[in-house]
Amino acid sequence: MKEPIVDILIPTYRPGQEFKELLLGLFRQSYPVRRILVVNTDATLWNPEFEDLVPNLYVDHIDQRTFDHGGTRREMAASSDADLLLFMTQDAVPANAELVENLVRQFSLPQVRAAYARQLPKKGCSVLEAYTRGFNYPRESDIKDYGDLPELGLKTFFCSNVCAMYDRKTYEELGGFVRRTLFNEDMIYAAGLIEAGYSIAYAADAMVYHSHNYGCVAQLKRNFDLGVSQAQHPEIFEKYPSEGEGIRMVKQTSAYVCRIGRPWLLVPLFFQSGCKYLGYLLGKHYRLLPRWLIRRCTMSRTWWRFRKKR
């Protein structure tokens, strides 16, 4: 049987050392990658040396003002005729040479039409962030389908374009990523995939290093964008609220830091959790906010500058 052709698609903005490590990690993969397609949004800070690292790298520069989490990835997908599309972010570094191989393996199951990788904490990651990685990306693989909705709710649709692979034909049949979204293009597509009767595989043996030591302000901004994307797609997120999962994570993290003898970490945990929830609430009600406040709360100021509220 013919092996599926894989293209890797990565949007970038001022990529640095981690992107170099990512490219070298992809070059060493055990499974052949046909092309690495990059859409870069700041040509002035692009390092042409990246193009010397791997022979199958193809770069397209676009204006940052046109970037959209869904729309740009949608255009990237349209440029590929590969059997499987692997979307990554510029700061997700393969943990070993089997990343692509282990993701491709998931599609041997007939109903699996998307698969996402496990995210490991990077060196220097904070205790709280490292626990969050483990909460969202456990050691055990899993396959989720429509039957999991009563128990898992919104988490059934969890899928991260930090490192996620999609069957291209199914992707096209279902209409692909939404054209306009500030965030969550992966989960919005995954919801349609699940509701169409397909499955999503979480491949714990496909691993990338990816984490952020966000402070309170950054947490607020990230969750503001999360809330906006949910408010813009009530057909998904109102049916399956996500607040309960956040509360469960705070409770489990609190128990963990006490168990390891670091109860003082409860203070930053509660401050960060409060900022996350405040940002989320503001984002859910962004239509009531003035434009200047939205631009203070978002991580994506350029996105708002050239788009109307809706």
Side-chain angles (χ1 to χ4, degrees):
M1 185 176 177
K2 179 185 173 184
E3 288 189 333
I5 296 172
V6 175
D7 279 349
I8 299 179
L9 305 93
I10 312 172
T12 61
Y13 173 68
R14 300 182 178 182
Q17 178 62 29
E18 280 181 325
F19 186 61
K20 179 180 179 180
E21 295 173 15
L22 164 58
L23 291 176
L24 292 174
L26 295 179
F27 182 68
R28 302 183 185 112
Q29 289 297 300
S30 58
Y31 192 94
V33 173
R34 183 179 66 171
R35 295 186 297 171
I36 302 171
L37 306 175
V38 170
V39 168
N40 178 61
T41 58
D42 190 344
T44 63
L45 291 178
W46 173 260
N47 185 348
E49 292 180 4
F50 291 142
E51 296 169 57
D52 298 328
L53 293 175
V54 291
N56 56 343
L57 179 66
Y58 300 85
V59 184
D60 183 25
H61 298 285
I62 64 171
D63 191 320
Q64 185 190 356
R65 294 174 294 181
T66 67
F67 176 80
D68 184 280
H69 273 265
T72 301
R73 287 179 171 86
R74 183 185 180 93
E75 292 175 8
M76 295 178 76
S79 70
S80 172
D81 63 353
D83 300 308
L84 298 172
L85 306 176
L86 174 54
F87 281 89
M88 299 183 70
T89 55
Q90 68 187 52
D91 56 348
V93 178
N96 54 40
E98 290 72 46
L99 169 67
V100 176
E101 179 181 348
N102 290 337
L103 285 171
V104 170
R105 186 183 299 118
Q106 308 305 313
F107 293 84
S108 62
L109 299 173
Q111 289 303 106
V112 170
R113 303 300 169 87
Y116 65 100
R118 182 183 178 193
Q119 296 182 27
L120 303 173
K122 295 184 294 189
K123 184 178 180 180
C125 180
S126 70
V127 172
L128 296 179
E129 174 65 6
Y131 188 82
T132 299
R133 293 296 106 184
F135 181 88
N136 289 324
Y137 304 94
R139 295 177 181 271
E140 302 80 20
S141 296
D142 192 17
I143 296 177
K144 299 173 291 183
D145 58 28
Y146 194 85
D148 291 308
L149 279 169
E151 179 183 354
L152 298 180
L154 189 64
K155 199 160 187 179
T156 308
F157 307 141
F158 189 79
C159 183
S160 175
N161 271 345
V162 165
C163 187
M165 183 175 281
Y166 303 92
D167 175 79
R168 182 183 58 81
K169 288 185 178 178
T170 305
Y171 169 90
E172 292 176 351
E173 289 170 4
L174 296 179
F177 297 128
V178 292
R179 295 182 184 276
R180 181 180 185 271
T181 186
L182 183 61
F183 204 60
N184 261 341
E185 79 290 337
D186 37 24
M187 285 188 66
I188 295 166
Y189 172 75
L193 193 72
I194 291 290
E195 291 180 341
Y198 297 115
S199 303
I200 299 170
Y202 165 58
D205 57 353
M207 298 175 286
V208 294
Y209 290 105
H210 179 263
S211 59
H212 296 285
N213 288 330
Y214 286 145
C216 287
V217 173
Q219 296 282 15
L220 185 149
K221 290 184 175 185
R222 184 181 185 280
N223 280 268
F224 176 84
D225 291 351
L226 174 67
V228 169
S229 70
Q230 292 196 9
Q232 291 179 340
H233 293 276
E235 73 280 6
I236 299 168
F237 296 104
E238 283 189 4
K239 286 193 294 185
Y240 308 104
S242 60
E243 289 89 342
E245 188 68 10
I247 293 170
R248 188 168 75 91
M249 186 173 71
V250 172
K251 288 181 176 178
Q252 290 194 13
T253 309
S254 300
Y256 172 72
V257 297
C258 291
R259 190 165 63 248
I260 65 172
R262 297 188 178 185
W264 57 85
L265 291 178
L266 291 172
V267 176
L269 171 63
F270 292 151
F271 271 107
Q272 289 182 21
S273 299
C275 287
K276 285 181 182 179
Y277 190 59
L278 175 60
Y280 174 75
L281 284 180
L282 289 170
K284 290 278 281 188
H285 299 91
Y286 78 97
R287 294 183 181 91
L288 303 176
L289 306 180
R291 172 77 61 160
W292 67 265
L293 183 55
I294 288 174
R295 293 189 60 202
R296 290 285 185 91
C297 291
T298 183
M299 270 190 162
S300 307
R301 299 184 68 178
T302 302
W303 192 90
W304 288 101
R305 190 182 305 163
F306 300 100
R307 292 166 178 82
K308 296 179 181 179
K309 278 198 300 183
R310 66 174 178 87

